[in-house]
Amino acid sequence: MTDADFDLSRYDPRDPDPWLALYLDQGLPIAPVAKVALLKGNRSWSRRWLFPIVRPAVFVFFILVKILRGISPHHPNLNGALHRLIHWGLKTFCTPEANTLILRHFHVGTELLAFIKANAGPVEVETVPLRPRTLKDLEDNVFLQHDLNVFNFIIQLNASLRAQGRDLAPVDRPDFSMISDEPFALGELPNGRFNFADAQTAIEIYTPLYALLLPRADFVRAAQSLQLDETVAIYIGKILGTDYHMSFVKNGHPMVPLSTLQAGHRLMMHGLDCEAFHGWLRLLKQRQAAGLSLDPRNPIG
């Protein structure tokens, strides 16, 4: 998973590689390791062939699950089994690139919330930092806790701000200390003969299983959390005093929820949004350390 996977020396103007174009594009400030992992998954045979084949079957299964959950919204409740199943599936079938994206997401989310909290002034917010290094670590209720963290953060942050009669405001010198400069320290990921599935195919398959094995309220909350990217971006904008990064947001308008049947695609977009936010903050941290302006009109200068 290196830059060598996108070799400019093989560029042919008569047959340009669309993934090379996206690799070279600097429109989104995404970490190189995440960008390469995402693009390799996009151009894989799994994404090109397996994804469109399994998607209709997954959709039908999802409809059946929704009917079941309409009849029995609270049972089954097999959270432990769900996390063990996710771990087994990722370990057995997913590529190292897909697993890298999934593990990275929890680190990225933890640091984004920590950035807002650190720059929000005196607020009372308690969430659980999520730093899974291995796929086995995901069994520790990581997926469900990730959703709880987001909603608890928003509730507690705004409750504290309301109690003090204030809102988030621009910070003269934002604290970027929690934003990692280097790639996250992840353990070795499986790369056997059956590790062929890309991230989007895996997510599309596991989403209805999430709905089946968790109570309806837990799944609906998880699906609704995907539209909170815009909310988080607004918080970051109030702190930075700019809305430049709002152009990265593709999941938004949480007060008008989308159908849970769209959760698989929106989860991929959620991951992309978060990587872009994190990359932007990482870039600003580097500019601040170099004594440069944080003016978004010159984001890479």
Side-chain angles (χ1 to χ4, degrees), residues 34 37-44 46-47 50-51 90 93-103 196-207 264-265 267-268 271:
L38 180 60
L39 293 179
K40 284 192 69 175
N42 287 344
R43 74 178 187 183
S44 68
S46 168
R47 175 59 181 82
L50 183 60
F51 177 77
L90 297 179
F93 298 111
C94 283
T95 64
E97 292 80 18
N99 286 326
T100 294
L101 290 171
I102 291 169
L103 288 175
F196 60 85
D198 65 282
Q200 189 168 5
T201 300
I203 287 171
E204 196 72 20
I205 292 172
Y206 107 71
T207 297
H265 175 72
L267 184 52
M268 286 297 296

Side-chain angles (χ1 to χ4, degrees), residues 238-260:
K238 289 181 177 181
I239 291 168
L240 296 178
T242 174
D243 62 356
Y244 176 85
H245 58 283
M246 293 297 294
S247 61
F248 305 156
V249 180
K250 299 305 174 187
N251 276 326
H253 307 296
M255 296 185 72
V256 183
L258 297 172
S259 167
T260 55

Side-chain angles (χ1 to χ4, degrees), residues 113-130:
L113 297 185
F115 171 80
I116 298 170
K117 179 181 178 180
N119 291 282
V123 292
E124 296 183 9
V125 177
E126 296 295 334
T127 57
V128 179
L130 299 175

